[in-house]
Amino acid sequence: MLTTNPFDDDKLKEECGVFGVWGADGASSIAALGLHALQHRGQEAAGIVSHDGLSFHAHRAMGHVAGNFDQDEVIRKLSGHAAIGHVRYSTTGETALRNVQPLYAELSTGGFAVAHNGNLSNALTLRDKLIQRGSIFQSTSDTEVIIHLVATSTKPTAVDRLTEALKKVEGAYSLVCLLDDGLVACRDPLGVRPLVMGKYNDATVFASESVALDVIGARYIRDVEPGELIIVNNDGMRSFHPFEKAKARPCIFEHVYFSRPDSMVEGTSVYQTRKAIGAELAREAPVEADLVVPVPDSGVPAAIGYSQESGIPFELGIIRSHYVGRTFIQPTQDIRHLGVKLKHNANSALVEGKSIVLVDDSVVRGTTSLRLVQMMRDAGAREVHMRIASPPTRYSCFYGVNTPDRAKLLAAQMGIEGMADYIKADSLAFISLDGLYRALGDKRDAAAPQRCDACFSGDYPTTLTDRNRDKEHPEQLRLVSND
């Protein structure tokens, strides 16, 4: 099975999405709707665990939320007033049902289910220590390390045990956990991955993005703060800050690509931010052209901003089909290349004879850009100028994003001119890192960055214990991070 769209293989994959609800009749139905809204964050698998006051109920499946959780018999089995859910795209490791979240275990303190967005950068090291102490792992997911750390803690309550466990991990995590007597939501001290809180009538809701609140008709309350742990149960809601305080470093790429444009991230409209990025890109990298053409869908807001700032007309020079399944059998290489047009096709009548500015969100391996430029030339474009709404991606991400090894990142191997030659564009330009910060309303401080921009700058905000181990022992097991 091969992807119908080879472009998909050359994108930074969304991490994962988490959703939790406490205190609502039919909580699993609400969770399923919330996961629909977060489907863009992970298309590989989905799962829901619910609690009815006595028992936990779980359903996990490969594939999309639709089809797996739109069936009445599935939702009926997931009874209860509380539920957590997860959509997954694994960043490393195998694709298997045993890695699909939420993960669940029976502990001495009762049932414990967890859904995780992020990546623990010392999970392999912790896993080895736990195995030496007798732990038996059922998955290759870094999230299971959290369960074992909770299980082996000697603290008196499940929340205390979770807090102690999280003090031992490094990296990025936004979690929703379901216990016998409550729902816990927490975010790592750097706040790398997003998590928001809302109210649905009298119920409390947590989600990776605000759009999931919109879809279920919930009211946004606030972001979960970096390093905050919130527990919701029948006694109400309590908030703690149990971790050593750190300077927040939320992921900058949420604004560029990962989050849906109709979400609010850190109180800011993603759509408006992407337009501002496009406008900044137009100021930094102007070019004479006839049309501004977005790469749909992620390049659209930035292209609008570029068009409005430059005065060059915005047009849909590439048309995307939204009715193509993710995979199908492709018997030959020639047919595989033809598969590109199933999802993206040039609007030849529009671009023929024109000089165009092609706006995309990123360049990873460069294969996407190469095919896009060739598509425009085959459609008769006179000139093709690529403009990218993020800085060059020169470094791998270790915080829950499926980034190729650095050796496969085009910007890590050559300069801008070499990249332009490689993709066969008439010109190529990226927004600067300073420009990206300006578009976000910040002034970049290289000495004390306000965000995690490691994929652009190489400035990783945490220790990368497992990465350093991998350099010495590349044959070791690779854990699935949770995305």
Side-chain angles (χ1 to χ4, degrees), residues 148-164:
H148 285 275
L149 289 173
V150 173
T152 55
S153 170
T154 58
K155 296 293 184 180
T157 70
V159 174
D160 291 336
R161 290 183 174 201
L162 176 63
T163 301
E164 182 180 61

Side-chain angles (χ1 to χ4, degrees), residues 227-353:
E228 184 179 20
L229 187 150
I230 299 172
I231 179 167
V232 182
N233 56 27
N234 292 334
D235 296 326
M237 186 185 79
R238 290 177 291 155
S239 169
F240 306 89
H241 288 80
F243 310 112
E244 185 177 341
K245 189 165 179 61
K247 180 178 172 57
R249 296 280 297 274
C251 174
I252 201 168
F253 219 85
E254 290 285 347
H255 297 274
V256 175
Y257 177 66
F258 294 137
S259 295
R260 264 179 50 162
D262 47 344
S263 280
M264 301 286 289
V265 173
E266 301 165 51
T268 303
S269 162
V270 174
Y271 178 79
Q272 293 296 340
T273 296
R274 289 178 186 167
K275 282 182 62 179
I277 291 171
E280 182 66 30
L281 182 58
R283 290 189 287 270
E284 289 189 349
V287 63
E288 291 187 7
D290 301 310
L291 302 174
V292 174
V293 173
V295 177
D297 290 319
S298 57
V300 171
I304 293 172
Y306 193 102
S307 171
Q308 291 176 347
E309 179 66 23
S310 66
I312 301 171
F314 170 93
E315 294 287 357
L316 296 179
I318 299 174
I319 304 300
R320 178 187 173 189
S321 170
H322 293 268
Y323 305 101
V324 179
R326 186 167 175 79
T327 58
F328 79 111
I329 299 297
Q330 297 174 327
T332 69
Q333 186 70 8
D334 289 341
I335 295 298
R336 183 177 189 273
H337 285 301
L338 289 176
V340 173
K341 292 188 176 182
L342 288 177
K343 197 163 187 178
H344 290 90
N345 191 39
N347 189 350
S348 301
L350 184 70
V351 304
E352 186 175 5

Side-chain angles (χ1 to χ4, degrees), residues 166-189:
L166 294 177
K167 288 180 178 179
K168 296 179 180 179
V169 305
E170 66 183 35
Y173 56 84
S174 284
L175 306 177
V176 287
C177 307
L178 193 56
L179 316 176
D180 282 316
D181 59 352
L183 187 152
V184 176
C186 59
R187 202 171 167 204
D188 69 78

Side-chain angles (χ1 to χ4, degrees), residues 187-220:
R187 202 171 167 204
D188 69 78
L190 297 176
V192 178
R193 302 266 70 89
L195 192 63
V196 300
M197 178 172 64
K199 292 293 288 186
Y200 175 76
N201 298 324
D202 293 330
T204 302
V205 181
F206 298 94
S208 291
E209 293 183 36
S210 63
V211 67
L213 305 181
D214 298 337
V215 165
I216 67 168
R219 176 169 53 92
Y220 167 83

Side-chain angles (χ1 to χ4, degrees), residues 96-117:
L97 189 59
R98 65 175 177 160
N99 287 324
V100 179
Q101 297 190 43
L103 299 183
Y104 174 78
E106 290 284 350
L107 308 181
S108 62
T109 53
F112 181 84
V114 58
H116 170 207
N117 171 210

Side-chain angles (χ1 to χ4, degrees), residues 343-425:
K343 197 163 187 178
H344 290 90
N345 191 39
N347 189 350
S348 301
L350 184 70
V351 304
E352 186 175 5
K354 301 292 197 312
S355 174
I356 65 170
V357 180
L358 203 55
V359 179
D360 203 357
D361 56 79
S362 60
V363 173
V364 182
R365 292 181 176 91
T367 53
T368 294
S369 301
L370 175 64
R371 289 167 177 152
L372 287 168
V373 170
Q374 188 59 50
M375 179 186 290
M376 293 294 95
R377 295 204 190 281
D378 291 346
R382 188 175 77 254
E383 294 178 346
V384 183
H385 303 276
M386 285 288 297
R387 293 296 180 267
I388 308 300
S390 63
T393 303
R394 294 192 172 100
Y395 301 90
S396 298
C397 176
F398 298 95
Y399 302 116
V401 179
N402 186 31
T403 317
D405 292 337
R406 192 163 186 240
K408 297 179 181 179
L409 295 172
L410 191 66
Q413 308 308 312
M414 58 186 70
I416 305 299
E417 289 186 7
M419 295 174 72
D421 290 340
Y422 177 84
I423 68 173
K424 297 179 171 55

